[in-house]
Amino acid sequence: MTTDEKRKKKLLWQLPLLTLLIVGTVIIVRQQQSMPYREAKGFIFGTTYSISYQADADYSQEIVNSLERVDNSLSMFNDKSVVTAINNNENMKPDELFSEVFRLAMIVSNETDGAFDITVAPLVNAWGFGYKTGIMPDKHAVDSLLQLVGYTKVTVGADGLVSKSDPRITLDFSAIAKGYGTDVVARTLDSLGVSNYMVEIGGEVVTRGISSKRLPWKIGVTKPTDDTLALQTDLQTVLNVTDRAMATSGNYRNYYYRNGLKYAHTIDPKTGMPVQHTLLSATVLAPSCATADAYATAFMVMGVDKAKAVLDRHPEMMAYFIYSTPDGENAVWFSPSLKEKLSE
């Protein structure tokens, strides 16, 4: 048999296989296109959630179960949660969710020189109470509370138990729990074989695949404004976000004026005081939403310049900052690698 005859014979064997592969691919694509996009909405962690996913089956219960697992571990407002037990100094070994978030929180705290700190709750509460009553904590009160703040004052031992340098120290995961909850739901959908979805909890987002419009998911960044009546649909920009997580933190909704100065709700864990700098909003894109959530919070404490230095060390993250200029106008800075994702 000549070489040409061998090639022809080989091709004849390959053609049916190739045809079968093409037909199978067409069938799979058509099945995927015919699958409906489903919606799941509700209330969790003191905020709303909205989830869109493409699947033949309804996975609403699986989604709720995932959210409840996070709530039962990390919510300070859940009397039976793991974090509540630890804050009450009960001898409880944390579950896997608590341990995972605690480890990530410590990493972000180290990377941001303590700008992110899960022990800052007493100061946040003190200033928040002041917002409502008009009586702000004085220096003595702040100094006293600072004794109970500091991420290095909390550790997890080899036995898995949490150790606090002072039993009055409390842990608050509110600046990372929404992002983590978003990740947990995304993992659940991944495990169920869902390849196209958007999970959003309180503005924190994880996306995979494409939307029902057969296009990349588009996520808006809200325009910072002091107008409390402004709609959330008043957007600064829209980002094409696919297979990424995104979180935003901002000072423009919660603030007060005193002696002509504007004080934001973000508290610097080191000084115990509300931050005063030009950064109005920090949007972070990262491989996980918990990471994006934590760094967005840290960046609001650090300000633009220090945040840029952190981003230089972490090319896996991208950020979109909105800040105020000396003349009172809003300006924008974003990671160069984010430019192709802008949908303006």
Side-chain angles (χ1 to χ4, degrees):
M1 185 181 294
T2 64
T3 302
D4 287 342
E5 289 174 334
K6 290 180 179 179
R7 288 176 179 172
K8 289 179 181 179
K9 186 175 181 180
K10 184 178 181 181
L11 182 60
L12 288 174
W13 279 102
Q14 290 176 336
L15 279 175
L17 181 61
L18 182 60
T19 302
L20 182 63
L21 181 61
I22 293 172
V23 171
T25 302
V26 170
I27 292 174
I28 291 172
V29 170
R30 286 181 176 176
Q31 286 177 336
Q32 289 180 337
Q33 290 178 341
S34 64
M35 278 196 296
Y37 273 77
R38 301 174 184 272
E39 301 290 330
K41 297 179 184 291
F43 192 80
I44 196 75
F45 313 144
T47 188
T48 59
Y49 68 85
S50 177
I51 300 164
S52 175
Y53 62 98
Q54 186 184 32
D56 278 334
D58 182 352
Y59 294 131
S60 297
Q61 191 56 55
E62 287 83 353
I63 290 170
V64 170
N65 292 343
S66 297
L67 293 170
E68 288 180 346
R69 285 178 57 225
V70 177
D71 188 76
N72 289 333
S73 179
L74 303 174
S75 175
M76 290 180 66
F77 306 103
N78 183 337
D79 293 338
K80 298 181 179 179
S81 72
V82 174
V83 70
T84 296
I86 290 171
N87 284 341
N88 291 336
N89 299 305
E90 297 177 20
N91 191 31
M92 173 181 282
K93 187 174 181 178
D95 60 6
E96 291 182 5
L97 283 73
F98 181 101
S99 299
E100 182 180 2
V101 174
F102 184 88
R103 286 193 296 269
L104 176 58
M106 293 298 109
I107 290 171
V108 178
S109 294
N110 278 307
E111 286 293 304
T112 60
D113 193 26
F116 181 79
D117 195 322
I118 57 174
T119 68
V120 76
L123 286 165
V124 174
N125 293 337
W127 285 100
F129 181 76
Y131 296 154
K132 297 175 182 178
T133 64
I135 303 174
M136 305 302 161
D138 57 21
K139 186 178 186 305
H140 175 73
V142 170
D143 289 343
S144 295
L145 291 173
L146 280 171
Q147 303 305 309
L148 306 178
V149 173
Y151 71 97
T152 59
K153 299 176 181 178
V154 185
T155 58
V156 173
D159 58 1
L161 297 177
V162 175
S163 176
K164 299 185 285 186
S165 64
D166 188 311
R168 295 174 296 169
I169 291 173
T170 57
L171 305 183
D172 181 359
F173 291 108
S174 60
I176 193 173
K178 286 190 299 179
Y180 183 69
T182 307
D183 288 329
V184 170
V185 172
R187 293 175 193 172
T188 297
L189 293 175
D190 288 337
S191 70
L192 293 168
V194 178
S195 55
N196 297 315
Y197 60 77
M198 187 276 294
V199 180
E200 180 267 329
I201 303 177
E204 322 301 19
V205 178
V206 173
T207 64
R208 293 286 186 273
I210 57 176
S211 70
S212 59
K213 297 179 180 179
R214 318 306 299 177
L215 296 169
W217 295 97
K218 296 179 182 291
I219 310 297
V221 177
T222 304
K223 183 179 293 184
T225 175
D226 288 350
D227 182 3
T228 57
L229 297 178
L231 298 176
Q232 290 294 318
T233 52
D234 190 9
L235 300 179
Q236 177 76 31
T237 191
V238 175
L239 302 177
N240 291 316
V241 182
T242 298
D243 300 331
R244 299 285 292 186
M246 174 177 141
T248 298
S249 184
N251 279 329
Y252 50 92
R253 295 289 183 188
N254 298 314
Y255 61 89
Y256 71 95
Y257 285 96
R258 187 179 186 187
N259 297 328
L261 295 177
K262 182 178 179 180
Y263 291 82
H265 81 292
T266 300
I267 307 301
D268 186 333
K270 287 187 173 181
T271 66
M273 302 293 290
V275 298
Q276 287 192 9
H277 52 59
T278 61
L279 187 57
L280 301 173
S281 171
T283 296
V284 176
L285 279 74
S288 78
C289 201
T291 299
D293 200 3
Y295 274 103
T297 299
F299 290 164
M300 290 307 304
V301 173
M302 302 173 79
V304 175
D305 293 336
K306 291 182 179 179
K308 286 182 182 180
V310 173
L311 289 167
D312 287 341
R313 301 196 303 269
H314 290 277
E316 76 279 8
M317 292 194 298
M318 296 176 282
Y320 187 98
F321 297 148
I322 306 173
Y323 61 96
S324 59
T325 62
D327 59 3
E329 298 296 321
N330 287 357
V332 167
W333 178 91
F334 54 84
S335 302
S337 56
L338 190 59
K339 185 174 183 179
E340 64 183 22
K341 294 184 179 293
L342 296 178
S343 184
E344 296 175 288

